[in-house]
Each structure stands twice: as structure tokens, then as C-alpha cells.
Amino acid sequence: MPSYAFPPAAVPALPIVGGDALFPVHRIYCVGRNFADHAIEMGHDPSKEQPFFFQKNPDTLVHSGATIAYPKGSRDVHHEVELVVALKQGGEDIPVERALDHVFGYAVGLDLTRRDLQAEAKKLGRPWEVAKAFEESAPCSAIVPVAICGHPDQGRIFLNVNGATRQDGDLNQMIWKVPEMIAILSTLFRLAPGDLIFAGTPAGVGPIGRGDVLEGGVDNVGEVRLTIG
């Protein structure tokens, strides 16, 4: 056994519906502006864009039902509800027609974003990590295996804040479908078992505040709940 200078961090993991085992998380990839209506509300033309990706750190994960502090360093934190794809196999240059064979299951996630810091980074041409990869920025539900939920390519995706609907779309509105996302990502990274892909958010993103209760869901997949302390 190796000797460490101090105890290594625990492996980030998510519960799995229907079993006691945990899903160990390797990396978190996020797809930017993957719903046309969200791309438009952010001032972009979805018909002219190739998919682009950014990452969150695995230890930014938060289990559904948690209460978190309002994120530090920002006065404008936004919610983004997303389908999450969990991989059981990795690889490079994965063909689209074989991409779904790599999927273990699906979950519902929130891509919390420090929008004011993101706007500043965009203006200065800087990376987005400070706006996306901060502590507790990736709340996520338990993972539902494919054997239970299949491969959802349509169905409602929504987010309520304090009981009022903020986001309400359908998975069939995704510009880049799950097989395409996996295939394209695999040309840029060596994907691995345990990778998560946050698949983009529909229109209606907006600010959250202290005391807010967020409840998001995807038909036939599940729901995620978060309280801002």
C-alpha cells in the first residue's frame, strides 16, 4: 500500500436506484447551450454553433435533498436543470451508433452558475471555471440504471423554485442528442467509466436566493431537490 503525506480524499459517488452500490464519479463534463431556446435567451444563434464543453470537478457534487450555503463571491447565482448521463464504459472516438452501449444510467442535475462571474469571464475572454466549478455547484439525484428508465430522448424537463415553475422544456428539444454528445466528447477526451455528462438546460434560467427551495425533474428519470440556506 502506498504511503500518503495525508489521507486522500474520498471518491465522489452517487447512489443508484434499486441497489446498495454507489456510482463512483470520475469526471463531470457539461454541454453548453444544448437547448435552442436557452441559446437564444443567452444571445446566441443555435443554428450556427458546434457543441462545446466545460467541466466541473467531481467533488462539486451534492446529493439531492441537501441544503447548501449561498455560493460565495457572487451576487447573481442562477439555476440550470439538466439531464445527467452516467457512463459505465469509456474510450476514444466512439461511433455514434455504439455510444448508448457506454451508458450506465441517467439522473437529474443542477448546474449552478455564478452568472455575474461568467459574464465577466466572457467579456475578458477568460475560462469559465470560476463561474461553474465552485463548491457544491453540481447537485444531482440518484442514478437510475438503463434497465429501469431506458434511454430517455423525450419527456418533460422542469425546475420549480418555491413551487413556481421557472424552466419547462422537453428532452426532444436538445440540439445534440445523447449519442452525439458522447461521440463528440470522445474525440476530445479519453472517456472513462464513472464519467457524468450534464446534457444542457432549457430556457428559463434565472437567479436564486437565500431560503429558496429548488425542485427539478425529468420524466421517467427522477427529481432533484435543493435548499439554499
Side-chain angles (χ1 to χ4, degrees):
M1 294 291 292
S3 176
Y4 296 101
F6 50 85
V11 175
L14 290 170
I16 299 170
V17 172
D20 297 326
L22 296 176
F23 183 90
V25 177
H26 177 246
R27 290 180 180 172
I28 301 176
Y29 300 97
C30 303
V31 185
R33 296 193 291 265
N34 196 33
F35 282 71
D37 53 0
H38 174 57
I40 292 169
E41 77 174 347
M42 299 301 289
H44 299 272
D45 183 350
S47 67
K48 295 182 178 180
E49 289 192 333
Q50 290 296 309
F52 71 94
F53 306 92
F54 57 91
Q55 291 190 33
K56 289 177 179 276
N57 302 323
D59 60 5
T60 62
L61 281 170
V62 179
H63 289 189
S64 179
T67 297
I68 69 168
Y70 188 87
K72 63 190 297 187
S74 175
R75 295 183 178 180
D76 190 25
V77 177
H78 282 205
H79 57 74
E80 300 185 14
V81 64
E82 313 205 0
L83 175 71
V84 177
V85 185
L87 300 186
K88 64 180 179 181
Q89 298 177 36
E92 298 177 280
D93 301 318
I94 298 169
V96 171
E97 59 271 17
R98 292 176 49 200
L100 291 181
D101 295 339
H102 293 67
V103 177
F104 177 88
Y106 297 87
V108 185
L110 297 175
D111 169 17
L112 299 184
T113 304
R114 296 192 284 205
R115 193 71 75 197
D116 46 357
L117 301 188
Q118 184 188 41
E120 182 180 2
K122 288 180 178 179
K123 185 168 128 181
L124 297 174
R126 293 176 177 172
W128 287 10
E129 278 82 1
V130 70
K132 291 286 192 177
F134 55 93
E135 285 73 15
E136 301 178 320
S137 64
C140 193
S141 73
I143 295 173
V144 183
V146 169
I148 296 176
C149 69
H151 293 288
D153 57 5
Q154 62 181 356
R156 187 182 182 221
I157 177 171
F158 69 91
L159 182 79
N160 298 332
V161 178
N162 301 326
T165 300
R166 290 273 193 91
Q167 295 183 262
D168 199 345
D170 195 289
L171 294 181
N172 64 18
Q173 298 166 339
M174 291 195 299
I175 300 169
W176 302 96
K177 310 306 182 185
V178 172
E180 296 169 320
M181 284 185 269
I182 294 171
I184 294 169
L185 260 177
S186 73
T187 69
L188 302 171
F189 301 93
R190 183 183 298 118
L191 299 181
D195 284 344
L196 299 180
I197 304 171
F198 279 58
T201 194
V205 301
I208 54 177
R210 292 170 178 83
D212 283 348
V213 177
L214 285 63
E215 297 171 300
V218 174
D219 281 355
N220 300 317
V221 176
E223 295 189 358
V224 62
R225 180 184 173 92
L226 181 74
T227 302
I228 310 300

